[in-house]
Amino acid sequence: MDIKETVSILETVASVPVINSVGTTKDRVVYHSNHGGTFTLWSVGFDGGPKFRMTSGPVEQMAEPRHDSNTVYYTKDVAKGGELHKIYSSDAIEGKESLAVDTPQMRIEGFASKGNLIAFTGATKEEMGLFTSKGGSLEKRQVVPPSATLSDTSERYLVGSGVLAKNPRSLELFIFDLSSGKFTVYTPKAGSVNKPPKIHGTEVLFESDFAGKNHLHVLNAESGEVGPARFAFEDCNRYDAVEHQNYGWTDDGKVWFVGKKEGECKAFIDGGELATPPGYIPGMTVVRRKAYVVHTSVVQPPSVVEAGAGNRLLVENPLPQGVSQNLGSGRMVHFESFDGRRVSALVVDHGSPRRTVVLVHGGPWSEYPDTWGPIICSIAASGYNVIAPNYRGSTGYGEEFRLLDIGDPGGADLKDVVAATDWAKQNGIATETAIMGYSYGGYITLLGLGKQPEQWSCGVAGAPIADWKAMHGLSDALYREFVEVLFGKKLELLDDRSPVTYVKNVRKPVCIIASQNDSRTPLKPVLRYVTELASQQGTFEFHTMPDMGHAVNTAQGLIDIVLPGILFLHKQFAPEAA
Ligand code: 4NP
């Protein structure tokens, strides 16, 4: 495939809308999508029909809409990608946008609304605060632990989760009583992992591993009683989800959830399974017993479907012809890693061994399930096979597996990526490999090229972590804590696990792409890494994206970030002719 064709495929892939989340207001379904080029909120009727754009973009995060009004609250970045947010509102019927809360400079990470109450957790350089707002006023309720993240609110309680007991391997819930001002940290069992709670009246729904594997539980905020979530139907017990991708309450107090297993999802209301197409379900909302889901697979860009008998499409999203012809096919595979542990990966291939990109996801608490993704799909459609390993630390495989990364970033996770590379070579996928990733994936890419330079032919690192210590010093309260939790408080490991420590060993061509205003993986440590590369003999490219941050929230931004990487691959690692 020549470069002109590759650029045209990337442009086509970047123009395919992504849909991140879905919610329901009183009269409409709303969803967060970059349809038209920029992430904004869109509104469509419960029965489909015309859609319209409710907001100007880019929109960062939508608070889950409520069913008694058509007002939707959402955050926007006001720092050219630097992730300092203000809160806006718009109407799902009329689409009038206005500034709802003029917050001081901070990163808003957890965010919910109920009636005219808006609540959020927001990080500054110094601290994390819990805030509420009514009618535009802003009240700081208190300083909270730096990873505390709000997930829901009722009229009376603000609820959320985070590392609240100083144990990096556990997550606790918090409940803030608006009437007494009391902040309570809750865990059903010390050391257990308890995920973002959702509240209905006084009932707090959360995922927890305290009784073994991940299950949904309900805590009564008043009595303190806790027990398993109750279901009228038993389909969900037969399915036996490994994780709960999404969960919440119906308006009449039943539990709904999306269960996840091996990169695939199923949807349930009150324990009864809803028919959904095979694939992954990144988002779901339930109103009056009707469920609307975001559905996707590697070969199906995200669509909005009314789940159930007909799986009626509200928002269609067909794969453009030029992409579908070139994409290949996707499947989840698994292999044994260096120590015998079972590791899964998403493979997109063209049916025979080829030059292969080992694509490393970010997070690290994230995964490559069976989903459409503009990066994986543009690489596959430009002629490569791709293997995207869910290395230890990934979500989707239970808490024991996810927690293996804590205290060991760049250790066994990198070894799993090496094992995926070897497996692809031994199993008819790869003739030769390149390594590529964004954010934590960019980190593993640089670390891999420095620690095991013989393993890959070249590498592409987007928004990489190059130097943990420098990054830690530049971070706000939330991301400082993130680094400390990820390292299990063993900060003496920061240098040993930093790519800059191994830059002198890099022997293969490397392409680095970073954004000027990135506040999660900041530019300065990357510049230092590039300066070190420049004093060596090897081939490298470096691209800085002006006025952009970590989150890529426009189609043009996606092209800006991905195109240098793909052009580099074509120069250094040209795909074989089909
Ligand atoms: P991500 O970015 O891979 O996009 O989630 C990251 C930012 C910060 C850290 C890790 C990943 N950190 O450890 O601080």
Coordinates of all heavy atoms in Angstrom, one line a residue, residues 361-366 391 409 438-443 463 465 468 471-472 475 478-484 486-487 518-522 550-551, ligand 1:
H361 N -1.8 -0.9 25.1 CA -2.8 0.1 25.5 C -2.3 1.0 26.7 O -1.3 0.7 27.3 CB -4.1 -0.6 25.9 CG -4.0 -1.5 27.1 ND1 -3.9 -0.9 28.4 CD2 -4.1 -2.8 27.3 CE1 -3.9 -1.9 29.3 NE2 -4.0 -3.1 28.6
G362 N -2.9 2.1 26.9 CA -2.6 3.0 28.0 C -3.3 2.6 29.3 O -3.8 1.5 29.4
G363 N -3.3 3.5 30.2 CA -4.0 3.2 31.5 C -3.1 3.3 32.7 O -2.9 4.4 33.2
P364 N -2.4 2.2 33.1 CA -2.4 0.9 32.6 C -3.7 0.2 32.9 O -3.9 -0.9 32.4 CB -1.3 0.2 33.3 CG -1.1 0.9 34.6 CD -1.5 2.3 34.3
W365 N -4.6 0.8 33.7 CA -5.9 0.1 34.0 C -6.9 0.4 33.0 O -7.8 1.2 33.1 CB -6.3 0.6 35.4 CG -5.3 0.3 36.4 CD1 -4.6 -0.9 36.5 CD2 -4.7 1.1 37.4 NE1 -3.7 -0.9 37.5 CE2 -3.7 0.4 38.1 CE3 -4.9 2.4 37.8 CZ2 -2.9 0.9 39.1 CZ3 -4.2 2.9 38.8 CH2 -3.2 2.2 39.5
S366 N -6.7 -0.3 31.8 CA -7.5 -0.2 30.7 C -7.3 -1.5 29.9 O -6.7 -2.4 30.4 CB -7.1 1.0 29.9 OG -7.6 1.1 28.6
Y391 N -1.9 -7.0 28.9 CA -0.8 -7.4 29.9 C -1.3 -7.3 31.3 O -2.3 -6.6 31.6 CB 0.4 -6.4 29.7 CG 0.0 -5.0 29.7 CD1 -0.1 -4.3 30.9 CD2 -0.2 -4.3 28.5 CE1 -0.4 -2.9 30.9 CE2 -0.5 -2.9 28.5 CZ -0.6 -2.2 29.7 OH -1.0 -0.9 29.7
P409 N 5.4 -1.4 37.9 CA 5.1 -0.9 36.5 C 6.4 -1.0 35.7 O 7.5 -0.8 36.2 CB 4.7 0.6 36.7 CG 5.2 0.9 38.1 CD 5.2 -0.3 38.9
Y438 N 0.3 4.6 23.1 CA 0.1 5.9 23.5 C 0.0 6.0 25.1 O -0.6 5.1 25.7 CB -1.3 6.4 22.9 CG -1.5 7.9 23.1 CD1 -0.9 8.8 22.2 CD2 -2.4 8.3 24.1 CE1 -1.2 10.2 22.4 CE2 -2.6 9.7 24.2 CZ -2.0 10.6 23.4 OH -2.3 12.0 23.5
S439 N 0.6 7.0 25.7 CA 0.5 7.2 27.1 C 1.3 6.1 27.8 O 2.4 5.9 27.6 CB -0.9 7.4 27.5 OG -1.0 7.8 28.9
Y440 N 0.6 5.3 28.7 CA 1.3 4.2 29.4 C 1.8 3.2 28.3 O 2.8 2.6 28.5 CB 0.4 3.5 30.4 CG 1.1 2.6 31.3 CD1 1.7 3.1 32.5 CD2 1.3 1.2 31.0 CE1 2.4 2.2 33.3 CE2 2.0 0.4 31.9 CZ 2.5 0.9 33.0 OH 3.2 0.0 33.9
G441 N 1.1 3.1 27.2 CA 1.5 2.3 26.1 C 2.8 2.9 25.4 O 3.7 2.2 25.0
G442 N 2.9 4.2 25.4 CA 4.1 4.9 24.9 C 5.3 4.7 25.8 O 6.4 4.5 25.4
Y443 N 4.9 4.6 27.1 CA 5.9 4.3 28.2 C 6.5 2.9 28.0 O 7.8 2.8 27.9 CB 5.3 4.4 29.5 CG 6.0 3.7 30.6 CD1 7.3 4.1 31.0 CD2 5.4 2.6 31.3 CE1 7.9 3.5 32.0 CE2 6.1 2.0 32.3 CZ 7.3 2.4 32.7 OH 8.0 1.7 33.7
A463 N 2.7 10.4 23.4 CA 2.5 10.9 24.8 C 3.2 10.0 25.9 O 2.5 9.5 26.8 CB 1.0 11.0 25.1
I465 N 5.5 8.3 29.0 CA 6.1 8.6 30.2 C 7.6 8.3 30.0 O 7.9 7.2 29.7 CB 5.5 7.8 31.4 CG1 4.1 8.1 31.6 CG2 6.3 8.0 32.7 CD1 3.3 7.0 32.3
W468 N 9.7 9.0 35.3 CA 8.7 9.0 36.3 C 8.9 10.1 37.3 O 8.0 10.8 37.8 CB 8.6 7.7 37.1 CG 8.0 6.6 36.3 CD1 8.7 5.6 35.7 CD2 6.6 6.4 36.0 NE1 7.8 4.7 35.1 CE2 6.5 5.2 35.3 CE3 5.5 7.1 36.4 CZ2 5.3 4.7 34.9 CZ3 4.2 6.6 35.9 CH2 4.1 5.4 35.2
M471 N 8.1 13.5 36.0 CA 6.6 13.6 35.8 C 5.9 13.8 37.1 O 5.0 14.6 37.2 CB 6.1 12.4 35.1 CG 4.7 12.2 35.0 SD 4.3 10.7 34.1 CE 2.8 10.3 35.0
H472 N 6.3 13.0 38.1 CA 5.7 13.1 39.4 C 5.8 14.6 40.0 O 4.8 15.1 40.5 CB 6.5 12.1 40.4 CG 6.0 12.1 41.8 ND1 6.6 12.6 42.8 CD2 4.8 11.5 42.3 CE1 5.9 12.4 43.9 NE2 4.8 11.8 43.6
S475 N 3.2 16.9 38.2 CA 1.8 16.5 38.2 C 0.9 17.3 39.2 O 1.5 17.8 40.2 CB 1.7 15.0 38.5 OG 2.3 14.2 37.6
L478 N -3.9 14.7 41.8 CA -4.5 13.5 41.3 C -3.4 12.6 40.7 O -3.3 11.4 41.0 CB -5.7 13.7 40.4 CG -6.3 12.4 39.8 CD1 -7.0 11.6 40.9 CD2 -7.3 12.7 38.7
Y479 N -2.7 13.1 39.8 CA -1.7 12.3 39.1 C -0.4 12.0 39.9 O 0.2 11.0 39.7 CB -1.4 12.9 37.7 CG -2.5 12.5 36.7 CD1 -3.6 13.2 36.5 CD2 -2.4 11.2 36.1 CE1 -4.6 12.7 35.7 CE2 -3.4 10.7 35.3 CZ -4.5 11.5 35.0 OH -5.5 11.0 34.3
R480 N -0.1 12.9 40.8 CA 1.0 12.6 41.8 C 0.6 11.3 42.6 O 1.4 10.4 42.7 CB 1.1 13.7 42.8 CG 2.4 14.5 42.6 CD 2.8 15.5 43.7 NE 1.8 16.0 44.5 CZ 1.1 17.1 44.3 NH1 1.3 17.9 43.2 NH2 0.2 17.6 45.2
E481 N -0.7 11.3 43.0 CA -1.2 10.1 43.8 C -1.2 8.9 42.9 O -0.9 7.8 43.3 CB -2.6 10.5 44.3 CG -3.3 9.3 45.0 CD -2.8 9.0 46.4 OE1 -1.8 9.7 46.8 OE2 -3.4 8.1 47.0
F482 N -1.6 9.1 41.6 CA -1.6 8.0 40.6 C -0.3 7.3 40.6 O -0.2 6.1 40.6 CB -2.0 8.6 39.3 CG -2.5 7.5 38.3 CD1 -3.8 7.6 37.8 CD2 -1.6 6.6 37.8 CE1 -4.2 6.6 36.8 CE2 -2.0 5.6 36.8 CZ -3.3 5.7 36.4
V483 N 0.8 8.1 40.4 CA 2.1 7.5 40.4 C 2.5 6.8 41.6 O 3.0 5.7 41.6 CB 3.2 8.6 40.1 CG1 4.6 8.1 40.1 CG2 2.9 9.3 38.8
E484 N 2.1 7.4 42.8 CA 2.5 6.8 44.1 C 1.7 5.5 44.3 O 2.3 4.5 44.8 CB 2.2 7.8 45.2 CG 3.2 8.9 45.2 CD 2.9 10.1 46.1 OE1 2.2 9.8 47.1 OE2 3.4 11.2 45.8
L486 N 0.5 3.5 41.8 CA 1.0 2.6 40.8 C 2.3 1.9 41.2 O 2.5 0.8 41.0 CB 1.1 3.3 39.4 CG 1.5 2.4 38.3 CD1 0.5 1.3 38.0 CD2 1.7 3.3 37.0
F487 N 3.1 2.7 41.9 CA 4.4 2.2 42.4 C 4.3 1.5 43.7 O 5.3 1.2 44.3 CB 5.5 3.3 42.4 CG 6.1 3.5 41.0 CD1 5.5 4.3 40.1 CD2 7.3 2.8 40.7 CE1 6.1 4.4 38.8 CE2 7.9 3.0 39.5 CZ 7.3 3.7 38.5
D518 N 0.1 18.7 27.3 CA -0.2 17.5 28.0 C 0.0 17.7 29.5 O 1.2 17.9 29.9 CB 0.6 16.3 27.4 CG 0.0 15.0 27.8 OD1 -0.5 14.9 29.0 OD2 0.0 14.1 27.0
S519 N -1.0 17.6 30.4 CA -0.8 17.7 31.8 C -0.8 16.3 32.5 O -0.7 16.3 33.7 CB -1.9 18.6 32.4 OG -3.2 18.1 32.2
R520 N -1.0 15.2 31.8 CA -0.9 13.9 32.4 C 0.5 13.3 32.2 O 1.1 12.8 33.1 CB -1.9 13.0 31.8 CG -3.3 13.3 32.2 CD -4.3 12.2 31.8 NE -5.4 12.8 31.0 CZ -6.3 12.1 30.5 NH1 -6.4 10.8 30.6 NH2 -7.3 12.7 29.8
T521 N 1.0 13.3 30.9 CA 2.3 12.9 30.6 C 3.0 14.1 30.0 O 3.1 14.3 28.8 CB 2.3 11.7 29.6 OG1 1.5 12.1 28.5 CG2 1.7 10.5 30.2
P522 N 3.5 15.0 30.8 CA 4.0 16.3 30.4 C 5.2 16.3 29.4 O 5.9 15.3 29.4 CB 4.3 17.1 31.7 CG 4.3 16.1 32.8 CD 3.6 14.8 32.3
H550 N -3.5 15.8 26.4 CA -3.4 14.3 26.4 C -4.6 13.7 25.7 O -4.4 12.7 25.0 CB -3.3 13.9 27.9 CG -2.9 12.5 28.1 ND1 -1.6 12.1 28.0 CD2 -3.6 11.3 28.3 CE1 -1.5 10.8 28.2 NE2 -2.8 10.3 28.4
A551 N -5.8 14.3 26.0 CA -7.0 13.7 25.4 C -7.1 14.2 24.0 O -7.0 15.4 23.7 CB -8.2 14.1 26.2
Ligands
4NP1 P1 -2.8 7.0 30.3 O1 -1.9 8.1 31.0 O2 -2.1 5.8 29.9 O3 -3.5 7.8 29.2 O4 -3.9 6.6 31.3 C1 -1.2 8.0 32.2 C2 -1.0 9.1 32.9 C3 -0.4 9.0 34.1 C4 0.0 7.8 34.6 C5 -0.2 6.7 33.9 C6 -0.8 6.7 32.7 N1 0.7 7.8 35.9 O5 1.1 6.7 36.3 O6 0.7 8.8 36.5

